[in-house]
């Protein structure tokens, strides 16, 4: 049987009689005792033997106990040791305060009873043990959090590859009309559920990054109404497929904000998706207005539904992580309970706020987003629209997933582009050197030579005569920054929607 480890106490006192007396008290109580007669000796013993508690007299012949304690706290190797100051002369309250503020954990005035000394040492040992347990637990949680993030990143990559293939395939089918009503319904189901699954994957990763402040906004001056029109264009057919009316009220003029368009789309897509999901019949009202005057003006976006409502006891926590309005056992509404957490975090990052209102179950809900508007002096001048630059291009597609590669190739060829494909990075570089494509769509997670190295090779050997677009299952600003550093012109996250890819090709 392993003997339990004795707690070690370092007794520091220059008075031989006092030091001997304290040694005996501690030894009789079952502690292992070390001793030192000077401050420098105490520092050396603490560094070499790592005692659990240091009983430290304030008055020492070389340096004071106050300085010894301060040096112990500054040294990472001794900073966690419990320190008990003792003194027969420095006993006024200001001296005790100085000792405690200097890092001591307790203070005893000599002479003290043996029982008082033992009880104080045991109390410090309990405190030190609790701190060690808390520190170890914090380290374990940090390691678990790191592994969770690695798992989520890998999960997203593995999910996004098949999602990319499905989304591209349905994009091709949509461009071939059918008279079969059942087939049309099935296509719609596949498209809606694929889009829904892609949003869940994005939300799951984003909430992990946002709660750890790992997301940076890529802001520019933009018209909030344009963002909302994009969101409503997608949301309207979803609402109509569920038998819901969608009423929209917008002001005529632009509402200029400094914002990340992608993140604002995420905010309003989540709110509209929630409204549709929690409304079995009736309608959704979206109202946008401007309040306030120049300098303090705000855009107010209201998303109101006639759905199941929010109970009063749930309403204060509706933006908390994993909170759900639908708490029934069957969980018929679906969702992960993270969408509204993302909404609040993203709105706050834009300098705005979001509130939820409901009169109770069965009486609908309203979410109100307020965002600061730019002053009229800083709003950009309007200009004409960019003309459509779509034409047939020579495109190199480097993708190791065979289904995603074939679906993307078919879609690009359907649009009139000349497409060359490669299943890995080495073949991709070789084809780029011999075929001279105008554009290369390159997956990042390639065997042999990954996408970053492909970009670096092409930039060094071909230069800027080729446009490089990274397409990856690994999302996040870190991946985008690394892609741009490697030489890519743009960074897209799988699954890439056909319309998004079409806009990209048209803008090159």
């Amino acid at each position: 049987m392993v003997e339990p480890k004795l707690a070690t106490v370092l007794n520091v006192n220059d008075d031989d009689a006092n030091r001997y007396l304290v040694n005996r008290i501690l030894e009789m109580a079952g502690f292992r005792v070390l001793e030192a007669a000077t401050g420098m000796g105490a520092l050396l013993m603490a560094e070499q033997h790592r005692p659990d508690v240091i009983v430290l007299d304030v008055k020492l012949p070389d340096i004071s106990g106050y300085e010894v304690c301060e040096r112990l706290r500054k040294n990472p190797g001794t900073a966690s040791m419990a320190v008990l100051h003792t003194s027969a002369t420095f006993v006024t309250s200001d001296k005790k305060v100085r000792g405690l503020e200097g890092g001591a954990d307790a203070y005893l005035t000599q002479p003290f009873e043996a029982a008082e000394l033992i009880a104080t040492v045991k109390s410090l040992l309990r405190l030190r043990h609790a701190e060690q347990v808390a520190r170890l637990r914090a380290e374990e949680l940090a390691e678990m959090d790191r592994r969770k993030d690695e798992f989520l990143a890998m999960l997203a990559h593995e999910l996004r590859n098949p999602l990319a293939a499905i989304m591209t395939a349905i994009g091709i089918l949509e461009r071939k009309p059918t008279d079969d009503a059942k087939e049309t319904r099935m296509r719609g189901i596949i498209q809606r559920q694929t889009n829904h699954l892609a949003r869940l994957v994005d939300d799951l990763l984003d909430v992990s990054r946002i709660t750890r402040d790992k997301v940076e906004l890529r802001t520019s001056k933009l018209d909030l109404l344009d963002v909302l029109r994009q969101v409503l264009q997608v949301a309207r057919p979803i609402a109509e497929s569920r038998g819901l009316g969608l009423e929209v009220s917008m002001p005529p003029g632009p509402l200029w904000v400094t914002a990340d368009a992608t993140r604002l789309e995420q905010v309003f897509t989540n709110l509209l998706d929630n409204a549709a999901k929690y409304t079995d019949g009736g309608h959704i009202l979206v109202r946008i207005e401007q309040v306030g005057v120049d300098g303090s003006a705000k855009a107010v976006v209201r998303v109101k539904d006639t759905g199941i409502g929010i109970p009063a006891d749930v309403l204060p926590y509706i933006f908390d992580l994993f909170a759900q309005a639908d708490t029934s056992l069957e969980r018929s509404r679906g969702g992960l309970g993270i969408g509204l957490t993302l909404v609040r975090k993203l709105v706050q990052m834009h300098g705005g706020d979001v509130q939820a209102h409901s009169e109770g179950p069965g009486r609908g809900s309203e979410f109100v987003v307020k965002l600061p508007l730019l002053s009229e002096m800083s709003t950009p001048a309007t200009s004409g629209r960019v003309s459509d630059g779509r034409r047939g291009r020579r495109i190199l597609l480097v993708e190791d997933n065979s289904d995603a590669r074939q679906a993307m190739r078919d879609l690009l060829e359907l649009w009139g582009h000349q497409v060359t494909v490669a299943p890995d990075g080495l073949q991709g570089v070789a084809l780029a050197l011999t075929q001279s494509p105008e554009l290369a769509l390159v997956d990042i997670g390639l065997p042999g030579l990954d996408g970053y190295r492909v970009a670096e090779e092409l930039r060094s050997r071909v230069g800027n005569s080729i446009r490089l677009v990274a397409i990856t299952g690994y999302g996040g600003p870190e991946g985008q920054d690394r892609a741009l550093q490697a030489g890519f012109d743009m960074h897209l996250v799988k699954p890439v929607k056909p319309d998004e890819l079409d806009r990209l090709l048209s803008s090159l």
Side-chain angles (χ1 to χ4, degrees), residues 328-406:
S328 60
L329 186 61
E330 66 271 16
R331 292 280 294 110
S332 59
R333 307 286 170 175
L336 301 175
I338 60 181
L340 290 179
T341 302
L342 284 173
V343 166
R344 180 176 62 180
K345 290 284 186 180
L346 290 172
V347 170
Q348 288 174 347
M349 289 174 70
H350 282 86
D353 67 88
V354 58
Q355 296 177 346
H357 306 282
S358 177
E359 296 182 6
R363 308 192 65 177
S365 308
E366 182 181 33
F367 289 85
V368 182
V369 175
K370 296 180 181 180
L371 294 169
L373 288 172
L374 290 172
S375 63
E376 291 185 4
M377 296 294 293
S378 59
T379 56
T382 58
S383 60
R385 296 187 63 180
V386 177
S387 61
D388 186 359
R390 184 186 303 170
R391 62 176 177 80
R393 301 180 185 277
R394 299 188 309 278
I395 297 176
L396 170 64
L397 172 62
V398 189
E399 168 65 70
D400 64 321
N401 183 290
S402 58
D403 286 340
R405 185 172 65 246
Q406 186 61 55

Side-chain angles (χ1 to χ4, degrees), residues 58 137 245 304 420 430 445:
V58 172
R137 181 57 178 162
K304 188 173 184 179
T420 305

Side-chain angles (χ1 to χ4, degrees), residues 11 30 46 52 142 144 216 274 278 305 378 420 444 447 459 476 494:
N11 179 27
D52 299 293
M144 291 170 61
E216 294 182 5
N274 259 19
Y278 290 101
D305 63 65
S378 59
T420 305
I444 294 298
R459 283 290 176 242
K494 294 179 180 178

Side-chain angles (χ1 to χ4, degrees), residues 20-323:
Y20 174 77
L21 177 61
V22 170
N23 285 353
R24 291 295 296 154
I25 293 173
L26 293 170
E27 287 169 348
M28 291 178 66
F31 297 111
R32 176 174 175 261
V33 182
L34 305 173
E35 61 178 272
T38 64
M40 295 304 297
L43 292 171
L44 183 62
M45 293 287 286
E47 183 71 33
Q48 291 178 344
H49 298 281
R50 304 297 174 89
D52 299 293
V53 179
I54 301 176
V55 179
L56 177 62
D57 191 49
V58 172
K59 188 178 181 181
L60 297 171
D62 50 353
I63 59 176
S64 72
Y66 299 129
E67 186 173 347
V68 172
C69 188
E70 290 172 358
R71 292 193 186 186
L72 289 169
R73 293 296 180 236
K74 290 179 181 178
N75 184 346
T78 60
S80 63
M81 295 175 184
V83 176
L84 167 60
H85 268 325
T86 65
S87 179
T89 55
F90 297 97
V91 296
T92 58
S93 60
D94 61 317
K95 299 299 184 183
K96 293 180 180 180
V97 169
R98 179 184 174 186
L100 294 172
E101 288 186 342
D105 299 289
Y107 201 110
L108 286 182
T109 301
Q110 294 176 338
F112 41 71
E113 296 290 334
E116 184 181 13
L117 173 64
I118 298 304
T120 304
V121 170
K122 287 182 176 179
S123 174
L124 293 178
L125 284 171
R126 289 194 298 271
L127 177 63
R128 184 172 184 269
H129 176 71
E131 289 175 345
Q132 288 176 331
V133 170
R135 184 167 58 253
L136 289 173
R137 181 57 178 162
E139 291 173 355
E140 290 174 359
L141 289 173
E143 176 63 16
M144 291 170 61
D145 191 54
R146 184 188 65 79
R147 292 183 180 180
K148 176 211 55 175
D149 291 337
E150 289 180 353
F151 169 76
L152 288 176
M154 185 59 66
L155 175 65
H157 181 263
E158 294 302 318
L159 288 175
R160 279 171 170 158
N161 272 326
L163 279 173
I166 296 170
M167 190 167 286
T168 306
I170 193 62
I172 294 173
L173 291 177
E174 281 184 336
R175 284 161 174 77
K176 294 185 176 180
T178 177
D179 296 329
D180 189 325
K182 186 174 182 180
E183 182 179 341
T184 300
R185 288 197 303 272
M186 294 304 103
R187 289 182 182 183
I189 290 171
I190 295 171
Q191 185 180 48
R192 287 192 299 274
Q193 295 305 315
T194 303
N195 288 335
H196 179 61
L197 184 55
R199 279 202 306 274
L200 289 178
V201 172
D202 288 338
D203 285 355
L204 187 61
L205 289 176
D206 279 340
V207 77
S208 175
R209 288 193 294 263
I210 288 176
T211 53
R212 292 179 298 116
D213 297 324
K214 294 285 187 178
V215 169
E216 294 182 5
L217 298 181
R218 301 181 181 276
T219 61
S220 61
K221 292 181 181 179
L222 52 89
D223 182 4
L224 178 62
L225 299 183
D226 283 342
V227 174
L228 288 164
R229 290 187 189 101
Q230 290 284 344
V231 173
L232 290 166
Q233 186 176 359
V234 176
R236 189 176 296 279
I238 295 174
E240 291 174 352
S241 70
R242 296 177 178 175
L244 303 174
L246 180 59
E247 303 175 27
V248 180
S249 173
M250 283 191 183
L255 296 177
W256 296 106
V257 294
T258 298
D260 185 323
T262 301
R263 293 302 182 181
L264 284 189
E265 284 187 15
Q266 192 174 3
V267 166
F268 296 115
T269 296
N270 264 310
L271 291 179
L272 283 164
D273 185 60
N274 259 19
K277 182 166 60 178
Y278 290 101
T279 304
D280 296 323
H283 64 273
I284 301 169
L285 172 64
V286 180
R287 183 180 177 187
I288 305 100
E289 58 187 348
Q290 176 179 338
V291 298
V293 294
D294 194 32
S296 62
K298 292 184 178 181
V300 180
V301 182
R302 302 176 184 274
V303 179
K304 188 173 184 179
D305 63 65
T306 57
I308 66 171
I310 306 172
D313 59 331
V314 175
L315 193 59
Y317 312 103
I318 198 66
F319 292 103
D320 292 349
L321 195 58
F322 306 125

